Amino acid sequence: MIWFILFFATALIISIAAMVQQQRGAKEIMLFVSICLLGFADWISILLERPFKPSRLIAILIDWTGL
């Protein structure tokens, strides 16, 4: 599981750096990071065999940012 966490952290940092370099908006970067972290929480819940459904939170985030 440690490799999964390290891979996720590395991919997230590279993705954020690429988005900043492309001069994306702050809302778009925040939405991307939020969805990634909810996906990460979903995978951890699968690995720990505990239920977690982030779909409602994702819908709220998309409505809140207006994208």
Side-chain angles (χ1 to χ4, degrees), residues 3-66:
W3 291 109
F4 171 73
I5 294 171
L6 289 174
F7 175 75
F8 178 81
T10 305
L12 184 63
I13 290 169
I14 291 170
S15 298
I16 292 172
M19 291 180 82
V20 168
Q21 188 177 21
Q22 293 176 358
Q23 298 178 346
R24 300 287 182 180
K27 282 186 178 181
E28 190 174 351
I29 293 172
M30 185 177 64
L31 179 66
F32 173 75
V33 170
S34 300
I35 290 174
C36 285
L37 291 176
L38 286 171
F40 179 74
D42 193 25
W43 271 104
I44 293 296
S45 72
I46 289 170
L47 294 173
L48 296 176
E49 298 177 1
R50 299 187 182 211
F52 176 71
K53 293 185 179 181
S55 57
R56 184 172 179 201
L57 292 172
I58 291 172
I60 291 169
L61 284 171
I62 291 174
D63 288 341
W64 181 68
T65 57

